[in-house]
Amino acid sequence: MSSGQEPVFPEYETETSQTSKLLKKFKETPFVPIGMAGFAVVVGYGLYKLKHRGDMKMSLHLIHMRVAAQGFVVGAITCGVLYSMVREYMVKPKE
């Protein structure tokens, strides 16, 4: 691109790093990273408990861990939707 031309999409061609884009996205939707972190914690806990599950069948243990991980993610998504609805409709931003 020559220096004499203006960018076609300036918001996409700005000099920003991936980290700043990620932080901006996390500020816009804060419950997505919380859901991802919770999912990772449940999976890690499930892998840890896999060793000490006793006489529980493997399939039953995996079903419990899947339900727990999905529940955490669905809960985080629900909280995020409620947060955005409150922010958009009840606490109206200044225009």
Side-chain angles (χ1 to χ4, degrees):
M1 180 184 277
S2 67
S3 62
Q5 292 180 338
E6 300 229 357
V8 178
F9 298 109
E11 63 271 6
Y12 294 112
E13 296 178 9
T14 57
E15 296 293 326
T16 58
S17 67
Q18 292 294 332
T19 307
S20 65
K21 288 180 184 178
L22 190 62
L23 290 174
K24 180 182 172 192
K25 188 59 97 170
F26 284 171
K27 287 178 184 176
E28 290 174 1
T29 56
F31 288 96
V32 172
I34 292 170
M36 291 168 52
F39 177 80
V41 167
V42 169
V43 168
Y45 178 74
L47 289 174
Y48 173 75
K49 290 304 258 182
L50 186 65
K51 200 173 199 181
H52 307 289
R53 70 180 189 269
D55 60 348
M56 184 186 295
K57 289 184 178 181
M58 172 73 89
S59 62
L60 188 60
H61 176 74
L62 292 176
I63 287 171
H64 287 170
M65 290 300 109
R66 179 185 66 89
V67 168
Q70 281 181 327
F72 196 92
V73 171
V74 168
I77 291 171
T78 304
C79 289
V81 167
L82 291 173
Y83 172 76
S84 66
M85 285 174 54
V86 166
R87 191 176 66 187
E88 187 173 329
Y89 295 114
M90 292 185 177
V91 182
K92 296 202 178 215
K94 295 179 182 176
E95 295 178 4

